[in-house]
Amino acid sequence: MRNKPVKKIAIISIIGSLLMISQVIDGCKASQMVSNKTGAQLWAENCQRCHNTPSPNSFSPEQWETIGLHMQSRSLITDEERTKIVAFLKQ
Amino acid sequence: MSPTKTIIKWIIFPLGSLISINITEAQQTTIVDSALLERVSVLEQQIASQKPGESHFMVAGLATFGFVTNTTTTTSGGISQKAKTNSFPDVDHFEFSPLFLWRHGSKFLLEFEPSFDGTSLGVNWADVSYFVAPGLILRAGFLVTPFGTYSKRLAAGWIDKLPTDPTGVADYPPTSDFGFEAEGGFPIGSMKWNYDVSLTNGLQLLPDGELQSVGVVDNNKNKTVTARLGLLPISNSSLEIGVSGMFGTVGDANSPYENAKSQSYAADLNYVKLFNPILVNIKGQYNYTFVNDQNYINPGDSSVYTFDNKTTSGFAQISLRPTGAGAAFVKNLELAFRYGRYITPEKSLWGQKSDIIDVSLDYWLSWRTVLKIGYQSNKSTSTAIENSGDETKSESLFIQFAIQL
């Protein structure tokens, strides 16, 4: 289709620009890998991407196990993130 | 009194009394301890019988309802007509959707979410997921296709900052479909990537040129591929950007449209960061869909017509919440603004260009319960094959309550 190359270039340009901007923003801070983060830290960072951070008292430990799987499939957090966040919420 | 009698009276007798009292108390304590121990033992047995097994079932979900008042002014051929409505709840803004979750061990998850929107009972998704390994989840059933992020993550009433969905993004194909999906997320250094790929029956092209996804029976042998790649380039996960594509044959087999194919592209952005005391939340998505050139049938007069069958839609949204404020009431307020643009095919039967502005002031009663007061302005100009140039201006005021169950 005649507009296809333009659309692809536009999308790629937008993504590339955002990547460069993000590296500039983040470049001055010390990066921290997921493995170095606590469950509480991961909970605060990842849950608020979509919704308000839930209170650990909102559900039982068993419910958090189930909700953790559901949230991982929605937000595509890593396996390690899900394990740490659920462990924190179950405390 | 003799010294002996004195000793007996003042020392031995009181001492004996004291000893006898302590013996009596000790006996009573022993009796109490025994009863207590027996009770504790019974409780321990009850607790042991309640320990979790391999499976767990729970109900979550959401409910959204409220009130909307609307004024719509339609101008055609220089003549304007105005209509006012109000309802509780409006069909587009009521939802009762319990989410049934059943987990087996740590590997299997079954999800079923029926939904009642005030007029019909439908299904948002019904699927089973298998958590194969870190970074790989397999899913099968009636699933939300991974096109953009709005439908899969942001559409719930208690998540959406505004009372309305972005026009042309939440309700325009593609949405849910029957098929198979693979997804996962994994770290790369301090960044994270995620992927989501599905193979589904796909959309259906109607003879008038519309693409349909609701109530579609598989209409051809081809399957539709949908995929999204997401990147979180900042180590605190504050920013996510993603690109999506959906490609498939959409025409009915053995029909004039059996070679009709559609391609859809989307780009999405999500940025949430606390700039103390304000939590800044930015979201956006842009969709582009087109179908290769076809000759369509006007159902009004059965005439043949054609048009450039492309649709674009998108929104940009920002919300601000003073989570760092001192007063609890202020802390729970959130102001949201959204601009949306929706363009459907020119010279089709439904061609239009719309600009939609939404503003909402929210009050969070809890992390999952919100009251929204919102306003929407929707200005639309028809580009349809009939009534081209007609203008529609709609203004709505919403009061909406949403809760996660």
Side-chain angles (χ1 to χ4, degrees):
Chain A
M1 299 296 287
R2 51 186 177 276
N3 289 330
K4 189 170 151 183
V6 175
K7 295 295 180 184
K8 279 187 178 175
I9 292 169
I11 291 171
I12 293 169
S13 299
I14 290 169
I15 294 169
S17 301
L18 287 171
L19 276 172
M20 285 194 292
I21 292 170
S22 67
Q23 290 305 308
V24 169
I25 292 171
D26 197 35
C28 300
K29 294 171 59 176
S31 293
Q32 191 178 13
M33 296 170 65
V34 171
S35 55
N36 297 334
K37 297 185 178 183
T38 64
Q41 193 176 359
L42 293 169
W43 163 78
E45 290 177 355
N46 286 281
C47 295
Q48 70 174 9
R49 286 164 50 198
C50 296
H51 53 68
N52 297 325
T53 46
S55 164
N57 295 328
S58 298
F59 298 101
S60 70
E62 259 208 293
Q63 288 176 324
W64 279 127
E65 286 283 355
T66 303
I67 293 167
L69 292 184
H70 173 65
M71 286 293 105
Q72 183 180 3
S73 73
R74 282 285 174 263
S75 64
L76 299 181
I77 53 177
T78 68
D79 224 60
E80 185 178 8
E81 288 178 317
R82 187 252 303 167
T83 302
K84 285 187 170 183
I85 291 170
V86 171
F88 163 72
L89 291 168
K90 287 168 64 175
Q91 287 176 355
Chain B
M1 185 181 290
S2 67
T4 304
K5 285 184 180 177
T6 303
I7 292 171
I8 292 170
K9 182 180 177 181
W10 293 109
I11 297 175
I12 296 176
F13 183 73
L15 188 60
S17 299
L18 190 62
I19 292 171
S20 67
I21 291 170
N22 282 339
I23 291 172
T24 305
E25 285 181 351
Q27 286 175 336
Q28 289 175 341
T29 303
T30 302
I31 293 170
V32 171
D33 284 345
S34 296
L36 188 60
L37 287 173
E38 189 176 334
R39 179 62 184 152
V40 168
S41 175
V42 169
L43 286 172
E44 284 175 342
Q45 289 174 13
Q46 289 177 344
I47 290 170
S49 68
Q50 298 295 322
K51 68 179 180 182
E54 285 188 322
S55 299
H56 178 250
F57 174 79
M58 66 178 290
V59 180
L62 63 100
T64 301
F65 58 89
F67 176 79
V68 57
T69 178
N70 170 269
T71 302
T72 300
T73 305
T74 306
T75 304
S76 177
I79 300 173
S80 295
Q81 287 184 317
K82 188 178 284 189
K84 292 186 179 181
T85 61
N86 58 64
S87 70
F88 299 100
D90 179 81
V91 67
D92 290 331
H93 307 101
F94 170 83
E95 186 175 2
F96 183 79
S97 304
L99 171 61
F100 300 90
L101 297 172
W102 182 77
R103 171 176 59 84
H104 182 69
S106 60
K107 292 287 189 180
F108 285 98
L109 180 69
L110 187 145
E111 302 171 294
F112 173 54
E113 185 173 279
S115 182
F116 178 59
D117 66 0
T119 58
S120 62
L121 184 63
V123 176
N124 288 341
W125 58 81
D127 55 51
V128 58
S129 302
Y130 177 48
F131 292 73
V132 180
L136 177 60
I137 304 169
L138 300 179
R139 177 172 299 116
F142 187 65
L143 46 90
V144 181
T145 49
F147 188 76
T149 57
Y150 188 83
S151 294
K152 209 168 190 180
R153 299 181 188 178
L154 307 176
W158 65 279
I159 294 178
D160 190 0
K161 307 295 184 183
L162 294 120
T164 59
D165 292 318
T167 306
V169 174
D171 51 5
Y172 185 77
T175 53
S176 299
D177 199 356
F178 293 96
F180 181 79
E181 183 179 10
E183 62 178 13
F186 46 92
I188 295 183
S190 61
M191 299 192 296
K192 290 187 296 185
W193 285 92
N194 55 67
Y195 71 96
D196 200 341
V197 184
S198 73
L199 188 67
T200 58
N201 285 340
L203 307 172
Q204 180 185 26
L205 181 67
L206 301 179
D208 64 358
E210 269 192 284
L211 274 176
Q212 180 171 276
S213 67
V214 178
V216 174
V217 177
D218 194 14
N219 59 336
N220 55 50
K221 292 186 295 185
N222 295 283
K223 297 293 167 258
T224 291
V225 175
T226 309
R228 177 184 180 272
L229 278 177
L231 171 67
L232 292 89
I234 305 176
S235 61
N236 61 11
S237 302
S238 58
L239 173 66
E240 181 173 5
I241 51 178
V243 289
S244 308
M246 174 182 268
F247 312 96
T249 299
V250 294
D252 290 355
N254 304 315
S255 78
Y257 307 108
E258 62 182 353
N259 294 319
K261 300 184 192 305
S262 79
Q263 295 185 38
S264 301
Y265 300 92
D268 60 80
L269 178 145
N270 188 50
Y271 182 68
V272 183
K273 184 79 166 66
L274 177 65
F275 295 94
N276 211 13
I278 305 291
L279 181 66
V280 177
N281 192 319
I282 298 172
K283 299 188 186 326
Q285 183 169 322
Y286 174 78
N287 292 1
Y288 175 76
T289 298
F290 66 86
V291 179
N292 57 351
D293 292 338
Q294 303 292 323
N295 290 319
Y296 302 109
I297 307 295
N298 187 330
D301 57 12
S302 299
S303 60
V304 176
Y305 74 121
T306 189
F307 55 88
D308 192 6
N309 198 346
K310 63 180 182 183
T311 300
T312 60
S313 57
F315 76 95
Q317 171 180 314
I318 183 169
S319 65
L320 305 172
R321 182 176 176 183
T323 56
F329 177 78
V330 175
K331 192 182 296 191
N332 292 330
L333 289 171
E334 188 164 14
L335 182 64
F337 172 82
R338 180 168 67 215
Y339 170 73
R341 178 95 164 137
Y342 182 39
I343 302 174
T344 52
E346 193 174 330
K347 297 182 183 175
S348 69
L349 294 175
W350 63 95
Q352 65 173 12
K353 292 182 181 180
S354 300
D355 291 282
I356 306 109
I357 293 175
D358 286 90
V359 181
S360 181
L361 181 63
D362 304 342
Y363 184 76
W364 293 93
L365 298 154
S366 74
W367 68 270
R368 56 183 178 182
T369 315
V370 61
L371 181 66
K372 309 174 199 172
I373 300 175
Y375 166 80
Q376 182 186 77
S377 168
N378 186 334
K379 295 181 183 177
S380 178
T381 301
S382 172
T383 60
I385 194 169
E386 296 164 6
N387 305 320
S388 178
D390 287 359
E391 293 184 346
T392 303
K393 182 177 177 182
S394 169
E395 291 184 297
S396 303
L397 184 66
F398 301 91
I399 302 173
Q400 186 185 84
F401 176 78
I403 184 170
Q404 188 227 30
L405 303 173

PDB file of all heavy atoms in Angstrom, chain A residues 15-38:
ATOM      1  N   ILE A  15       9.849   5.554  17.870  1.00  0.00           N
ATOM      2  CA  ILE A  15      10.440   4.629  18.851  1.00  0.00           C
ATOM      3  C   ILE A  15      11.896   4.966  19.078  1.00  0.00           C
ATOM      4  O   ILE A  15      12.388   5.002  20.217  1.00  0.00           O
ATOM      5  CB  ILE A  15      10.288   3.177  18.380  1.00  0.00           C
ATOM      6  CG1 ILE A  15       8.803   2.801  18.359  1.00  0.00           C
ATOM      7  CG2 ILE A  15      11.057   2.229  19.288  1.00  0.00           C
ATOM      8  CD1 ILE A  15       8.535   1.499  17.678  1.00  0.00           C
ATOM      9  N   GLY A  16      12.620   5.220  17.991  1.00  0.00           N
ATOM     10  CA  GLY A  16      14.039   5.547  18.125  1.00  0.00           C
ATOM     11  C   GLY A  16      14.258   6.813  18.935  1.00  0.00           C
ATOM     12  O   GLY A  16      15.145   6.875  19.792  1.00  0.00           O
ATOM     13  N   SER A  17      13.410   7.798  18.715  1.00  0.00           N
ATOM     14  CA  SER A  17      13.533   9.052  19.460  1.00  0.00           C
ATOM     15  C   SER A  17      13.266   8.823  20.936  1.00  0.00           C
ATOM     16  O   SER A  17      13.965   9.350  21.797  1.00  0.00           O
ATOM     17  CB  SER A  17      12.546  10.090  18.906  1.00  0.00           C
ATOM     18  OG  SER A  17      12.805  10.332  17.541  1.00  0.00           O
ATOM     19  N   LEU A  18      12.250   8.050  21.216  1.00  0.00           N
ATOM     20  CA  LEU A  18      11.916   7.783  22.609  1.00  0.00           C
ATOM     21  C   LEU A  18      13.042   7.020  23.297  1.00  0.00           C
ATOM     22  O   LEU A  18      13.352   7.251  24.465  1.00  0.00           O
ATOM     23  CB  LEU A  18      10.604   6.998  22.695  1.00  0.00           C
ATOM     24  CG  LEU A  18       9.340   7.818  22.369  1.00  0.00           C
ATOM     25  CD1 LEU A  18       8.130   6.902  22.267  1.00  0.00           C
ATOM     26  CD2 LEU A  18       9.097   8.885  23.418  1.00  0.00           C
ATOM     27  N   LEU A  19      13.645   6.109  22.571  1.00  0.00           N
ATOM     28  CA  LEU A  19      14.762   5.363  23.140  1.00  0.00           C
ATOM     29  C   LEU A  19      15.916   6.293  23.489  1.00  0.00           C
ATOM     30  O   LEU A  19      16.507   6.196  24.568  1.00  0.00           O
ATOM     31  CB  LEU A  19      15.242   4.295  22.163  1.00  0.00           C
ATOM     32  CG  LEU A  19      14.475   2.970  22.179  1.00  0.00           C
ATOM     33  CD1 LEU A  19      14.918   2.086  21.031  1.00  0.00           C
ATOM     34  CD2 LEU A  19      14.658   2.256  23.502  1.00  0.00           C
ATOM     35  N   MET A  20      16.219   7.201  22.578  1.00  0.00           N
ATOM     36  CA  MET A  20      17.319   8.127  22.843  1.00  0.00           C
ATOM     37  C   MET A  20      16.994   9.027  24.017  1.00  0.00           C
ATOM     38  O   MET A  20      17.831   9.259  24.888  1.00  0.00           O
ATOM     39  CB  MET A  20      17.584   8.966  21.585  1.00  0.00           C
ATOM     40  CG  MET A  20      18.293   8.188  20.492  1.00  0.00           C
ATOM     41  SD  MET A  20      18.951   9.235  19.186  1.00  0.00           S
ATOM     42  CE  MET A  20      17.461   9.818  18.436  1.00  0.00           C
ATOM     43  N   ILE A  21      15.742   9.491  24.073  1.00  0.00           N
ATOM     44  CA  ILE A  21      15.346  10.361  25.170  1.00  0.00           C
ATOM     45  C   ILE A  21      15.438   9.620  26.490  1.00  0.00           C
ATOM     46  O   ILE A  21      15.918  10.131  27.498  1.00  0.00           O
ATOM     47  CB  ILE A  21      13.908  10.897  24.951  1.00  0.00           C
ATOM     48  CG1 ILE A  21      13.889  11.862  23.755  1.00  0.00           C
ATOM     49  CG2 ILE A  21      13.377  11.586  26.204  1.00  0.00           C
ATOM     50  CD1 ILE A  21      12.505  12.250  23.314  1.00  0.00           C
ATOM     51  N   SER A  22      14.984   8.380  26.488  1.00  0.00           N
ATOM     52  CA  SER A  22      14.988   7.607  27.727  1.00  0.00           C
ATOM     53  C   SER A  22      16.399   7.365  28.207  1.00  0.00           C
ATOM     54  O   SER A  22      16.676   7.379  29.406  1.00  0.00           O
ATOM     55  CB  SER A  22      14.269   6.273  27.513  1.00  0.00           C
ATOM     56  OG  SER A  22      15.002   5.456  26.638  1.00  0.00           O
ATOM     57  N   GLN A  23      17.330   7.133  27.297  1.00  0.00           N
ATOM     58  CA  GLN A  23      18.709   6.908  27.689  1.00  0.00           C
ATOM     59  C   GLN A  23      19.325   8.181  28.248  1.00  0.00           C
ATOM     60  O   GLN A  23      20.131   8.139  29.183  1.00  0.00           O
ATOM     61  CB  GLN A  23      19.526   6.397  26.494  1.00  0.00           C
ATOM     62  CG  GLN A  23      19.154   4.981  26.093  1.00  0.00           C
ATOM     63  CD  GLN A  23      19.268   4.000  27.242  1.00  0.00           C
ATOM     64  OE1 GLN A  23      20.284   3.909  27.924  1.00  0.00           O
ATOM     65  NE2 GLN A  23      18.217   3.249  27.501  1.00  0.00           N
ATOM     66  N   VAL A  24      18.946   9.322  27.693  1.00  0.00           N
ATOM     67  CA  VAL A  24      19.443  10.593  28.217  1.00  0.00           C
ATOM     68  C   VAL A  24      18.911  10.815  29.629  1.00  0.00           C
ATOM     69  O   VAL A  24      19.633  11.191  30.541  1.00  0.00           O
ATOM     70  CB  VAL A  24      19.015  11.760  27.284  1.00  0.00           C
ATOM     71  CG1 VAL A  24      19.289  13.101  27.938  1.00  0.00           C
ATOM     72  CG2 VAL A  24      19.753  11.672  25.956  1.00  0.00           C
ATOM     73  N   ILE A  25      17.616  10.536  29.796  1.00  0.00           N
ATOM     74  CA  ILE A  25      17.010  10.730  31.114  1.00  0.00           C
ATOM     75  C   ILE A  25      17.645   9.799  32.136  1.00  0.00           C
ATOM     76  O   ILE A  25      17.950  10.171  33.261  1.00  0.00           O
ATOM     77  CB  ILE A  25      15.485  10.474  31.050  1.00  0.00           C
ATOM     78  CG1 ILE A  25      14.799  11.553  30.213  1.00  0.00           C
ATOM     79  CG2 ILE A  25      14.870  10.441  32.453  1.00  0.00           C
ATOM     80  CD1 ILE A  25      13.348  11.261  29.919  1.00  0.00           C
ATOM     81  N   ASP A  26      17.845   8.578  31.717  1.00  0.00           N
ATOM     82  CA  ASP A  26      18.320   7.566  32.659  1.00  0.00           C
ATOM     83  C   ASP A  26      19.828   7.505  32.738  1.00  0.00           C
ATOM     84  O   ASP A  26      20.379   6.854  33.626  1.00  0.00           O
ATOM     85  CB  ASP A  26      17.770   6.186  32.227  1.00  0.00           C
ATOM     86  CG  ASP A  26      17.855   5.155  33.341  1.00  0.00           C
ATOM     87  OD1 ASP A  26      17.690   5.533  34.508  1.00  0.00           O
ATOM     88  OD2 ASP A  26      18.115   3.985  33.022  1.00  0.00           O
ATOM     89  N   GLY A  27      20.494   8.160  31.805  1.00  0.00           N
ATOM     90  CA  GLY A  27      21.935   7.990  31.696  1.00  0.00           C
ATOM     91  C   GLY A  27      22.708   8.480  32.893  1.00  0.00           C
ATOM     92  O   GLY A  27      23.799   8.015  33.179  1.00  0.00           O
ATOM     93  N   CYS A  28      22.140   9.483  33.602  1.00  0.00           N
ATOM     94  CA  CYS A  28      22.890  10.038  34.712  1.00  0.00           C
ATOM     95  C   CYS A  28      22.701   9.253  36.009  1.00  0.00           C
ATOM     96  O   CYS A  28      23.365   9.511  36.998  1.00  0.00           O
ATOM     97  CB  CYS A  28      22.478  11.484  34.938  1.00  0.00           C
ATOM     98  SG  CYS A  28      22.784  12.536  33.493  1.00  0.00           S
ATOM     99  N   LYS A  29      21.722   8.324  36.010  1.00  0.00           N
ATOM    100  CA  LYS A  29      21.470   7.586  37.233  1.00  0.00           C
ATOM    101  C   LYS A  29      22.114   6.217  37.161  1.00  0.00           C
ATOM    102  O   LYS A  29      22.230   5.633  36.089  1.00  0.00           O
ATOM    103  CB  LYS A  29      19.965   7.406  37.439  1.00  0.00           C
ATOM    104  CG  LYS A  29      19.224   8.706  37.687  1.00  0.00           C
ATOM    105  CD  LYS A  29      17.718   8.486  37.673  1.00  0.00           C
ATOM    106  CE  LYS A  29      17.308   7.487  38.726  1.00  0.00           C
ATOM    107  NZ  LYS A  29      15.841   7.342  38.792  1.00  0.00           N
ATOM    108  N   ALA A  30      22.464   5.710  38.310  1.00  0.00           N
ATOM    109  CA  ALA A  30      23.021   4.358  38.338  1.00  0.00           C
ATOM    110  C   ALA A  30      21.923   3.355  38.056  1.00  0.00           C
ATOM    111  O   ALA A  30      20.895   3.352  38.700  1.00  0.00           O
ATOM    112  CB  ALA A  30      23.632   4.100  39.713  1.00  0.00           C
ATOM    113  N   SER A  31      22.118   2.534  37.059  1.00  0.00           N
ATOM    114  CA  SER A  31      21.100   1.548  36.704  1.00  0.00           C
ATOM    115  C   SER A  31      21.070   0.444  37.752  1.00  0.00           C
ATOM    116  O   SER A  31      22.085   0.106  38.335  1.00  0.00           O
ATOM    117  CB  SER A  31      21.424   0.946  35.347  1.00  0.00           C
ATOM    118  OG  SER A  31      21.304   1.914  34.340  1.00  0.00           O
ATOM    119  N   GLN A  32      19.880  -0.094  37.944  1.00  0.00           N
ATOM    120  CA  GLN A  32      19.746  -1.160  38.921  1.00  0.00           C
ATOM    121  C   GLN A  32      19.001  -2.306  38.281  1.00  0.00           C
ATOM    122  O   GLN A  32      17.902  -2.153  37.771  1.00  0.00           O
ATOM    123  CB  GLN A  32      18.991  -0.641  40.145  1.00  0.00           C
ATOM    124  CG  GLN A  32      19.032  -1.580  41.321  1.00  0.00           C
ATOM    125  CD  GLN A  32      18.326  -1.034  42.539  1.00  0.00           C
ATOM    126  OE1 GLN A  32      17.611  -0.053  42.438  1.00  0.00           O
ATOM    127  NE2 GLN A  32      18.513  -1.662  43.678  1.00  0.00           N
ATOM    128  N   MET A  33      19.599  -3.444  38.283  1.00  0.00           N
ATOM    129  CA  MET A  33      18.971  -4.584  37.662  1.00  0.00           C
ATOM    130  C   MET A  33      17.886  -5.147  38.568  1.00  0.00           C
ATOM    131  O   MET A  33      17.898  -4.944  39.789  1.00  0.00           O
ATOM    132  CB  MET A  33      20.034  -5.642  37.355  1.00  0.00           C
ATOM    133  CG  MET A  33      21.055  -5.153  36.334  1.00  0.00           C
ATOM    134  SD  MET A  33      22.461  -6.246  36.150  1.00  0.00           S
ATOM    135  CE  MET A  33      21.691  -7.692  35.485  1.00  0.00           C
ATOM    136  N   VAL A  34      16.967  -5.896  37.948  1.00  0.00           N
ATOM    137  CA  VAL A  34      15.846  -6.471  38.691  1.00  0.00           C
ATOM    138  C   VAL A  34      16.342  -7.336  39.844  1.00  0.00           C
ATOM    139  O   VAL A  34      15.781  -7.313  40.942  1.00  0.00           O
ATOM    140  CB  VAL A  34      14.971  -7.309  37.737  1.00  0.00           C
ATOM    141  CG1 VAL A  34      13.935  -8.101  38.515  1.00  0.00           C
ATOM    142  CG2 VAL A  34      14.269  -6.394  36.734  1.00  0.00           C
ATOM    143  N   SER A  35      17.428  -8.073  39.619  1.00  0.00           N
ATOM    144  CA  SER A  35      17.903  -9.009  40.637  1.00  0.00           C
ATOM    145  C   SER A  35      18.388  -8.291  41.897  1.00  0.00           C
ATOM    146  O   SER A  35      18.478  -8.907  42.961  1.00  0.00           O
ATOM    147  CB  SER A  35      19.032  -9.872  40.066  1.00  0.00           C
ATOM    148  OG  SER A  35      20.064  -9.061  39.544  1.00  0.00           O
ATOM    149  N   ASN A  36      18.697  -6.992  41.770  1.00  0.00           N
ATOM    150  CA  ASN A  36      19.172  -6.248  42.935  1.00  0.00           C
ATOM    151  C   ASN A  36      18.052  -5.554  43.693  1.00  0.00           C
ATOM    152  O   ASN A  36      18.307  -4.905  44.702  1.00  0.00           O
ATOM    153  CB  ASN A  36      20.202  -5.195  42.499  1.00  0.00           C
ATOM    154  CG  ASN A  36      21.437  -5.828  41.890  1.00  0.00           C
ATOM    155  OD1 ASN A  36      21.765  -6.969  42.193  1.00  0.00           O
ATOM    156  ND2 ASN A  36      22.114  -5.095  41.016  1.00  0.00           N
ATOM    157  N   LYS A  37      16.830  -5.662  43.184  1.00  0.00           N
ATOM    158  CA  LYS A  37      15.725  -4.909  43.779  1.00  0.00           C
ATOM    159  C   LYS A  37      14.930  -5.771  44.744  1.00  0.00           C
ATOM    160  O   LYS A  37      14.806  -6.986  44.579  1.00  0.00           O
ATOM    161  CB  LYS A  37      14.793  -4.378  42.689  1.00  0.00           C
ATOM    162  CG  LYS A  37      15.463  -3.391  41.746  1.00  0.00           C
ATOM    163  CD  LYS A  37      14.465  -2.802  40.773  1.00  0.00           C
ATOM    164  CE  LYS A  37      15.152  -1.789  39.880  1.00  0.00           C
ATOM    165  NZ  LYS A  37      14.195  -1.131  38.965  1.00  0.00           N
ATOM    166  N   THR A  38      14.361  -5.121  45.746  1.00  0.00           N
ATOM    167  CA  THR A  38      13.511  -5.828  46.703  1.00  0.00           C
ATOM    168  C   THR A  38      12.091  -5.954  46.145  1.00  0.00           C
ATOM    169  O   THR A  38      11.713  -5.255  45.199  1.00  0.00           O
ATOM    170  CB  THR A  38      13.436  -5.069  48.021  1.00  0.00           C
ATOM    171  OG1 THR A  38      12.800  -3.796  47.771  1.00  0.00           O
ATOM    172  CG2 THR A  38      14.829  -4.827  48.609  1.00  0.00           C
TER     173      THR A  38
END
